[in-house]
Amino acid sequence: MSYPKLFEKGRIGRLELKNRIVMPAMGTGFASSTGEASDEIIRYYADRARGGAGLIITEITRIDEETGIGTSNQLCATDSKHIPRLVRLAEAVHAYDSKIFVQLHHPGNETPGRLLKGKQIVSASEVVCATIGEKPRALTTEEVGAMAQKFVKGAYIAMAAGIDGVEIHAAHGYLVNQFLSPHTNKRTDKYGGDFFNRMRFITEIIKGIQFTCGPGFPISVRMDGNEYIPDGLTEEECIHIARYLESLGITCLNISCGTYESGATIIEPACYAEGWKKHLAKNIKANVKIPVIAVNTVKHPAFAESLLEEGVSDFVGIGRGFLADPEWGQKAKEGKDDSIRKCIGCMECFRIANMGRPIECTVNPILGRELHFGDGQLKKNGAGRAVAIAGGGPAGMQAAAVLAKRGFKPVLFEKSGVLGGSLNLADKPPHKELITELIKAQEEELKELNVEIRLNTEATVEACREIGAVGVFVAVGGNPIVPQLPGIEKAVTAEDVLTGRVTLSGKKAAVIGGGVTGLETAEFLSGDNEVTVVEMLNAVGTTLYPSVSKLMLKRIADNGGKILTGHALKAIGDGEIELSVSATAFDTSMKADAVVLALGVRPNRALAAEFEKEFEHVILIGDASAGGTIRDAMHAAYDKAFVFLD
């Protein structure tokens, strides 16, 4: 067995867990509109239990219907009506010898009033969360006591449903944390002031659960190891809180860090290294005797094993890793590390969740759709029929995998000598190493499925005819957009730069286009060049999650780069470019001895037109269909292959 410590049995209170892997709480939006565990969310959690999670902690679960709404379609434990579906959830997870906790949650001032149907948000004090920007109302003394009882009721509902334990969310700046932290607790009643008064709210919750559910019912507390905000909880005080909570008789601690106001420290994008915050959990573990769970931006099983070897925590939290690949644990156990589709830290899941939609994943096109698009729903009607795949990028590889699972015989044609397509550009900017691992994971999947791959071979009508193809998936990508402007022949493309066909050093480089590719190319060039990103719109990186764009822009600025918005390229001269100012329609110029075009791609449809003359079923996917993101390509490829000749 690979990773003996990771797959060693462990105990949390009276519970024995099959391994040391914990899937922590992550909001999904998969619950029903009434807050019950839907078929979709049950399948989602069951798949992660089957995939190796020893303990699953549900998404933030609502305990208050008036002011405690964190998201729409949020799991709830506010009423006995929620018990029957929680029973089904518990049974589904238990079938795989995994355990499940419900995480009890109230957002406090970290939720917008629109979710409360216009009601004023509440908090420990009238302290505004800068990220939300709405002034909360301080709960009255009586309301605080009543709110504690709602947490207790939520725990009782969970226990009645056969859930194995509960977790109190006291981290990330949510309501319980707002009482713990001097940053948000300015109260002068019995719930504010000195340390013990600030602990009173969570104490009442814990003692109430112990009284109602019995002393043996497991209680976990998710807490920060550092808030990373001015006048917030420091590492030293968090250790003090951990020791105090242990004295109350809780079962375990789950260590995270940060609040909404500290931004990326809660949910880290790709630029954060694995284990950057491991000292937080390690220091708390050294000061308590109860088990410690901790999240540490874990991507690789080997790193998870090292955390246990080092004594950082007793259990390792694997969050987005299980979003990206529900079989993360099982593949790790079998030593199939290269087959794991690892979270690439793009933050698409949270960007989409912030739109009020159920979360999605760039690298896992069936996340949240397992019930409708999972392997069990694939029609196995391929009957060995050949299907040609033109292009070995992310879309082509994804389509080939789905078709193979359906019993077709996909033959993948790739004109270059390597698979990956546009991913071989996407992995070149800083902090994009996990893109390279995505290519490897897709390659491993095709190998396991015995998909025939023909490298250095261009897909032609004749080649597709020779294999007897019943259809062709065209995934040949797109061509860089090159506007017809004076002097445009002097420009190079982002592709030229990222592939190394063109090397720039010591240049005043203008990157035209402030989208994802433009910003990543600018960061790639900054440091060695004086870079300016020129964008015709009034903002750059608008399709990126805020923490991703904010950190990328900071890195560009730290390397001397500049951002120029509201300007459009008009002409390229000798050592300068002419720009049109969007706000005034006047022209201006700036010095630039290198111009890099990052304006996106146009679909390459010439090949598709040839195939359409010869084949009835021609499907365009990825950039060959429409320019978009990796997520767009993977999802479209999966869905089109899912319904092909069904």
Side-chain angles (χ1 to χ4, degrees):
M1 180 195 298
S2 300
Y3 311 117
K5 286 193 173 293
L6 194 59
F7 292 98
E8 177 184 55
K9 290 183 179 180
R11 296 195 71 85
I12 292 180
R14 59 182 173 81
L15 297 177
E16 182 177 85
L17 305 186
K18 65 182 179 181
N19 58 40
R20 301 301 177 116
I21 300 173
V22 175
M23 178 179 160
M26 293 173 287
T28 65
F30 299 158
S32 72
S33 59
T34 60
E36 292 170 280
S38 64
D39 290 340
E40 287 80 5
I41 204 169
I42 291 172
R43 176 64 183 273
Y44 158 76
Y45 283 123
D47 280 359
R48 274 73 192 167
R50 182 178 60 191
L55 169 64
I56 289 173
I57 304 173
T58 69
E59 64 177 77
I60 54 173
T61 302
R62 191 183 306 167
I63 54 88
D64 172 40
E65 297 285 2
E66 296 298 315
T67 60
I69 302 171
T71 65
S72 53
N73 289 78
Q74 179 184 3
L75 202 62
C76 294
T78 60
D79 190 274
S80 59
K81 71 180 181 182
H82 297 125
I83 293 175
R85 296 299 296 178
L86 287 175
V87 170
R88 299 284 87 82
L89 173 58
E91 291 172 341
V93 171
H94 290 160
Y96 296 102
D97 294 324
S98 298
K99 307 300 182 186
I100 183 167
F101 285 7
V102 161
Q103 188 187 74
L104 307 174
H105 170 267
H106 191 295
N109 68 2
E110 290 186 335
T111 193
R114 59 181 172 77
L115 287 181
L116 311 184
K117 299 181 180 179
K119 292 188 180 73
Q120 187 177 11
I121 59 177
V122 301
S123 179
S125 303
E126 295 181 356
V127 177
V128 175
C129 170
T131 306
I132 298 297
E134 296 182 24
K135 185 177 180 179
R137 173 181 66 80
L139 291 167
T140 67
T141 303
E142 292 73 20
E143 285 176 322
V144 177
M147 190 68 74
Q149 289 306 307
K150 291 184 178 182
F151 277 87
V152 175
K153 181 180 180 181
Y156 180 79
I157 288 170
M159 183 185 70
I163 299 293
D164 299 295
V166 292
E167 178 167 275
I168 302 164
H169 201 331
H172 300 168
Y174 293 127
L175 183 65
V176 178
N177 183 220
Q178 288 160 31
F179 279 86
L180 303 181
S181 176
H183 175 71
T184 40
N185 191 335
K186 312 296 183 183
R187 302 177 71 96
T188 57
D189 65 357
K190 65 180 182 178
Y191 293 106
D194 65 22
F195 176 84
F196 291 104
N197 277 353
R198 285 189 283 118
M199 298 301 113
R200 191 181 300 274
F201 180 43
I202 194 169
T203 301
E204 291 181 356
I205 294 171
I206 292 168
K207 289 303 179 183
I209 294 173
Q210 291 170 337
F211 178 81
T212 303
C213 300
F217 187 63
I219 301 173
S220 170
V221 174
R222 189 164 210 194
M223 61 168 289
D224 284 335
N226 190 327
E227 284 194 303
Y228 291 114
I229 54 174
D231 76 352
L233 293 170
T234 63
E235 291 179 37
E236 182 179 4
E237 187 156 26
C238 288
I239 291 172
H240 188 191
I241 291 173
R243 294 177 67 178
Y244 174 78
L245 293 173
E246 180 183 32
S247 75
L248 296 178
I250 65 167
T251 318
C252 65
L253 290 163
N254 185 355
I255 309 304
S256 184
C257 65
T259 74
Y260 279 21
E261 293 182 67
S262 68
T265 61
I266 299 181
I267 308 294
E268 307 93 327
C271 60
Y272 278 75
E274 286 181 286
W276 71 273
K277 59 188 178 186
K278 67 181 183 179
H279 61 287
L280 301 177
K282 189 173 184 179
N283 290 340
I284 286 175
K285 177 173 163 52
N287 281 274
V288 298
K289 293 182 175 60
I290 56 176
V292 170
I293 305 166
V295 288
N296 270 297
T297 325
V298 176
K299 311 293 184 183
H300 304 89
F303 186 76
E305 181 82 356
S306 74
L307 293 173
L308 296 173
E309 290 173 343
E310 189 182 336
V312 169
S313 59
D314 300 286
F315 296 86
V316 179
I318 308 294
R320 285 173 291 162
F322 271 114
L323 299 184
D325 194 331
E327 297 179 352
W328 193 99
Q330 189 60 34
K331 288 179 179 178
K333 187 175 184 179
E334 296 171 2
K336 297 179 178 179
D337 297 30
D338 287 343
S339 295
I340 297 174
R341 288 201 186 188
K342 301 171 186 73
C343 167
I344 61 175
C346 64
M347 302 297 290
E348 274 291 279
C349 48
F350 282 87
R351 186 187 70 82
I352 290 169
N354 283 353
M355 297 166 62
R357 291 169 46 182
I359 62 171
E360 297 178 25
C361 176
T362 288
V363 305
N364 179 6
I366 64 168
L367 174 63
R369 308 190 302 159
E370 293 89 351
L371 196 64
H372 310 286
F373 285 87
D375 286 356
Q377 282 65 49
L378 290 171
K379 289 188 178 179
K380 308 292 178 68
N381 63 343
R385 290 175 289 175
V387 182
I389 312 289
M397 288 192 284
Q398 181 65 75
V402 175
L403 291 167
K405 290 177 181 179
R406 291 188 55 203
F408 288 95
K409 187 182 185 307
V411 179
L412 193 154
F413 297 87
E414 169 53 50
K415 68 178 181 180
S416 76
V418 296
L419 295 175
S422 61
L423 296 182
N424 292 310
L425 300 177
D427 70 351
K428 297 301 184 291
H431 312 297
K432 289 306 185 87
E433 299 83 1
L434 287 163
I435 297 287
T436 309
E437 296 193 41
L438 172 59
I439 300 172
K440 181 64 176 175
Q442 288 196 272
E443 287 179 340
E444 288 295 311
E445 183 178 23
L446 297 185
K447 188 186 301 181
E448 290 176 9
L449 293 168
N450 295 314
V451 172
E452 182 179 348
I453 298 170
R454 300 185 184 182
L455 298 177
N456 299 304
T457 306
E458 191 164 359
T460 63
V461 170
E462 183 179 352
C464 295
R465 240 197 247 114
E466 284 180 359
I467 66 169
V470 295
V472 182
F473 279 70
V474 181
V476 294
N479 299 315
I481 295 173
V482 180
Q484 298 305 301
L485 298 172
I488 200 69
E489 68 280 357
K490 299 173 185 177
V492 298
T493 66
E495 182 177 336
D496 292 327
V497 171
L498 295 174
T499 58
R501 289 196 295 263
V502 173
T503 302
L504 301 179
S505 182
K507 301 288 187 181
K508 288 184 180 294
V511 176
I512 311 301
V516 177
T517 302
L519 292 180
E520 290 180 346
T521 304
E523 184 178 3
F524 179 82
L525 291 170
S526 65
D528 292 333
N529 300 276
E530 187 180 322
V531 178
T532 301
V533 177
V534 179
E535 168 57 53
M536 65 184 297
L537 301 178
N538 292 325
V540 296
T542 54
T543 62
L544 291 167
Y545 189 71
S547 67
V548 176
S549 59
K550 181 179 178 180
L551 290 168
M552 192 183 302
L553 291 174
K554 182 180 185 303
R555 294 193 298 271
I556 292 171
D558 289 345
N559 285 331
K562 299 176 182 176
I563 307 293
L564 183 63
T565 58
H567 288 69
L569 179 66
K570 192 171 183 181
I572 302 174
D574 294 326
E576 68 174 17
I577 57 175
E578 186 176 344
L579 303 170
S580 174
V581 183
S582 303
T584 64
F586 292 136
D587 294 342
T588 186
S589 63
M590 64 173 279
K591 294 189 179 301
D593 47 21
V595 179
V596 181
L597 302 176
L599 298 169
V601 298
R602 287 195 178 94
N604 182 1
R605 300 201 171 175
L607 187 61
E610 294 179 27
F611 286 130
E612 285 169 348
K613 295 175 185 176
E614 301 290 333
F615 295 91
E616 179 181 357
H617 304 291
V618 178
I619 296 92
L620 278 69
I621 53 177
D623 286 343
S625 173
T629 63
I630 299 171
R631 179 181 65 85
D632 296 331
M634 299 276 267
H635 281 233
Y638 190 99
D639 291 358
K640 295 295 178 63
F642 185 89
V643 301
F644 180 68
L645 298 184
D646 68 350

